[in-house]
Amino acid sequence: MPSSTSRRTVIKSGALLLALGVTGCTGVPSPSPSSGFPSSAAAAEPGATFNFGTAAQPLGLDPALSSDVESQRITRQILEGLVGVDQTTGKPTPLLATEWTESNEGRTYTFKLRGGVTFHDGTPFDAEAVCTNFNRWFAFSPDLQRQAPGSSFKGVFKAHADEPDLSIFKSCTALAADTVQLDLTQRFTAFLQALTLPAFAIASPAALAAGNANVLDRQKSGQPLSAFGTNPVGTGPFSLSSWDEGSVTLVTNSSYWGDRGQIGTINFMAYDHPQTRLQALLDGKIDGYDAVTVGNFDQLVKRGKQIVQRDPFSVMYVGMNQAVGILANLKVRQAIELAIDKETLIRRFFIDNTAKATQFVPPKISGFNNNAPELGHDLAKAKQYLKDAGYAGEELKFYYPLNVTRPYLPTPEKVYAEISRQLTAAGLNIRPVPVEWSEGYLQKVQSPGDHALHLLGWNGSYSDAENFVGPLFGEKNGEFGYQDPQVFSKINRARSMPEGEERDEQYHTINDQIAATVPAVPIAFPISALALSDRVVSYPASPVLNEVFTKVQLKP
């Protein structure tokens, strides 16, 4: 790895989370209709072509059902939600809603909608369209939820219409064409931040109906999709032109209501190996790529290429499935934690300044616990714990993904190999189960099954501790087989507590209890980075990956 000194000659600052950890992000703003956007449209018709290298093909283009990074990178360009994210402060900003009010003790939100906006298919954006989308998400059937575990609605609203008493979503009401009211059954402190998730982008009701959006009767790269999921229609600055085996092409939306920027065509080109992405940049085939790895750094530095780093806003972990016999034993899970040498993993496989993780809430988020407990790395103690647990060499299937790079997991094959070596040294019987990312890795490890151990991570999407502990540990799921009613109850209570010291202390306690029961081993808070060609003047790097390409600035 190059030294920190040499990196400073080429690295540019990414977007900083300057205020992401500051309380008050959920206050009700009084934004002006144009807040957060340029005061005038771009003078020239967008005509530039921008080629961007991605680490994998998207798993689907219906943001309500596909939550992987590459899918969201593309759908952020095509569809928009009611609320956006300020690049500097992380606070909610106007997008399709120009202003909003909170009432009824935090259980009612009223949004004034932007006027004169149309979907790509020419149909109007209005309050009825908003309610069509919210009612669709709420009504997702149990079968659809099983087919699409990437849905974010349940993680935020707790339940769908099949369990209405458990859901915090109550109703959506179109008060007027330009006014919509969302009612919750209980206060949710991070509600506005949660609405910035790509999953809550508003799609054309006509396109949802025409594309049978809730019927996943298509296949693409092994993923079940609806017709809509292959051809989404939103209000965003770009629309889908084509989705081929190796690339996705978007074109500028000529009727877009906001600043259209410089780019007329975006080609998202998939390269599933870090070296092929690097070579494509050096050969001038692409203008930039995401997921720079440690192995890329030297060559990028030597060539003087721009490297833009994002502040850490993800956590990489080793998951453990307590539904697999021996892992129900706490001593075995603790032995696994003791056997893993996090420092070696970070030094060898992650970008400089990546921090060791002892919990699942990153340091810049309110609720991070400076004194979170950890067992540390102690091979002798790991062996003793296994002996005390009566471990008799039972085989543990260890799932890990192939041919993919995630912001939280730059080189999964190498990371797996080192962790497997460490666990084997402690006396564990590890059976490798490699799975192609494009062949349903996420679904396999997030659903009930025989995965004992697995590599994964969580990339935060909004600035609240709930976004990290809630989706992972807020209820029993197929990924961990984790059952702790006390933690579930505390997470649910923390969601509705007002921001402040008491809420932070609640999350400290939650982190402590999760650490004590070891449903997974947090390894690192990784720094992710992009590499850019000299053609790029600036790129809107965002820790929460809210990177819309109208804000990319190119040399003339």
Side-chain angles (χ1 to χ4, degrees):
M1 286 177 65
S3 68
S4 297
T5 302
S6 66
R7 287 191 188 178
R8 280 195 291 269
T9 64
V10 295
I11 292 176
K12 294 189 174 183
S13 294
L16 299 177
L17 278 103
L18 295 177
L20 283 180
V22 177
T23 59
C25 286
T26 51
V28 182
S30 300
S32 65
S34 62
S35 175
F37 297 96
S39 59
S40 60
E45 179 73 11
T49 296
F50 190 71
N51 297 324
F52 190 84
T54 64
Q57 279 273 57
L59 298 181
L61 296 181
D62 180 351
L65 298 177
S66 298
S67 60
D68 64 290
V69 169
E70 301 305 348
S71 297
Q72 292 184 348
R73 189 194 310 277
I74 294 169
T75 61
R76 284 185 189 276
Q77 320 300 323
I78 299 173
L79 302 100
E80 299 171 307
L82 296 177
V83 183
V85 180
D86 185 276
Q87 291 290 113
T88 303
T89 68
K91 292 183 179 181
T93 60
L95 199 55
L96 289 179
T98 58
E99 56 185 305
W100 47 84
T101 57
E102 175 185 328
S103 58
N104 191 23
E105 298 182 325
R107 295 193 297 271
T108 297
Y109 288 80
T110 304
F111 297 87
K112 181 68 71 173
L113 305 182
R114 193 175 295 278
V117 177
T118 59
F119 292 102
H120 299 152
D121 58 10
T123 58
F125 163 75
D126 56 19
E128 291 289 350
V130 173
C131 287
T132 296
N133 279 264
F134 272 90
N135 291 333
R136 176 209 172 200
W137 304 328
F138 182 53
F140 280 167
S141 68
D143 185 54
L144 182 60
Q145 295 172 48
R146 284 190 294 271
Q147 285 182 282
S151 168
S152 297
F153 185 91
K154 187 173 182 179
V156 170
F157 291 98
K158 305 305 291 179
H160 292 270
D162 57 312
E163 299 177 300
D165 293 342
L166 301 179
S167 182
I168 69 168
F169 176 80
K170 183 177 181 182
S171 64
C172 179
T173 306
L175 301 179
D178 67 347
T179 309
V180 67
Q181 178 176 302
L182 294 175
D183 285 291
L184 310 178
T185 61
Q186 65 184 60
R187 178 183 175 86
F188 176 31
T189 303
F191 178 62
L192 288 172
Q193 283 96 324
L195 288 188
T196 68
L197 288 169
F200 302 124
I202 306 300
S204 159
L208 289 171
N212 291 319
N214 293 354
V215 180
L216 309 188
D217 56 357
R218 307 290 176 92
Q219 287 279 329
K220 203 168 183 70
S221 300
Q223 303 299 314
L225 300 172
S226 68
F228 177 84
T230 66
N231 186 27
V233 178
T235 61
F238 296 94
S239 61
L240 181 69
S241 174
S242 64
W243 181 4
D244 301 322
E245 185 174 337
S247 66
V248 176
T249 298
L250 309 183
V251 294
T252 184
N253 171 14
S254 60
S255 61
Y256 184 56
W257 59 267
D259 182 8
R260 294 167 63 201
Q262 295 176 259
I263 297 171
T265 303
I266 311 171
N267 294 309
F268 291 101
M269 306 164 73
Y271 298 89
D272 61 12
H273 193 277
Q275 192 62 32
T276 59
R277 290 195 295 278
L278 170 65
Q279 196 59 49
L281 180 70
L282 298 179
D283 291 344
K285 294 179 181 178
I286 56 177
D287 300 296
Y289 72 87
D290 201 356
V292 172
T293 63
V294 168
N296 290 165
F297 249 105
D298 274 333
Q299 295 174 73
L300 288 166
V301 169
K302 288 175 181 175
R303 300 293 187 98
K305 295 299 181 183
Q306 301 180 68
I307 303 171
V308 175
Q309 293 188 179
R310 304 183 185 95
D311 269 13
F313 204 63
S314 65
V315 59
M316 178 256 159
Y317 59 81
V318 175
M320 293 182 277
N321 182 6
Q322 294 180 41
V324 174
I326 194 67
L327 289 179
N329 189 315
L330 173 60
K331 280 284 188 181
V332 174
R333 300 198 304 275
Q334 289 174 327
I336 290 171
E337 179 179 358
L338 285 161
I340 295 176
D341 182 355
K342 299 178 185 179
E343 300 285 0
T344 293
L345 290 165
I346 291 169
R347 185 176 65 252
R348 292 183 60 184
F349 305 118
F350 292 87
I351 292 172
D352 277 357
N353 300 318
T354 288
K356 182 178 74 171
T358 59
Q359 60 193 288
F360 289 86
V361 176
K364 297 203 176 207
I365 297 293
S366 294
F368 173 79
N369 187 353
N370 286 309
N371 300 306
E374 66 165 333
L375 295 175
H377 171 55
D378 189 325
L379 189 58
K381 189 178 286 188
K383 292 178 179 180
Q384 185 61 50
Y385 274 40
L386 289 177
K387 183 178 179 180
D388 295 344
Y391 176 70
E394 291 90 341
E395 181 181 83
L396 297 175
K397 292 183 179 180
F398 195 153
Y399 280 59
Y400 64 97
L402 298 176
N403 296 317
V404 71
T405 304
R406 303 285 87 191
Y408 50 75
L409 189 57
T411 50
E413 296 92 341
K414 293 180 180 179
V415 172
Y416 161 78
E418 176 59 23
I419 294 176
S420 178
R421 184 195 67 76
Q422 294 174 5
L423 297 179
T424 300
L428 290 152
N429 179 12
I430 301 298
R431 178 183 169 187
V433 184
V435 179
E436 291 281 345
W437 179 264
S438 61
E439 293 180 4
Y441 179 79
L442 268 181
Q443 186 157 9
K444 283 180 170 66
V445 300
Q446 291 180 331
S447 303
D450 65 354
H451 52 92
L453 306 174
H454 64 278
L455 284 186
L456 205 57
W458 180 262
N459 202 92
S461 299
Y462 61 89
S463 169
D464 195 84
E466 156 63 23
N467 184 224
F468 288 85
V469 298
L472 293 173
F473 306 113
E475 63 180 5
K476 186 174 182 180
N477 58 43
E479 182 174 0
F480 305 115
Y482 171 68
Q483 183 71 38
D484 191 331
Q486 191 178 64
V487 169
F488 297 167
S489 176
K490 287 182 178 179
I491 290 175
N492 189 56
R493 177 171 177 262
R495 289 165 57 92
S496 61
M497 293 174 68
E499 289 180 333
E501 187 174 339
E502 185 180 355
R503 188 171 190 258
D504 290 347
E505 285 299 322
Q506 179 83 339
Y507 280 112
H508 293 171
T509 301
I510 290 166
N511 281 325
D512 286 351
Q513 290 192 229
I514 292 171
T517 55
V518 202
V521 181
I523 304 295
F525 295 122
I527 290 176
S528 65
L530 308 103
L532 302 169
S533 74
D534 293 341
R535 183 184 178 218
V536 181
V537 176
S538 68
Y539 179 93
S542 162
V544 296
L545 306 181
N546 183 36
E547 298 167 355
V548 180
F549 282 32
T550 53
K551 298 184 183 297
V552 173
Q553 294 182 12
L554 305 173
K555 290 180 180 177

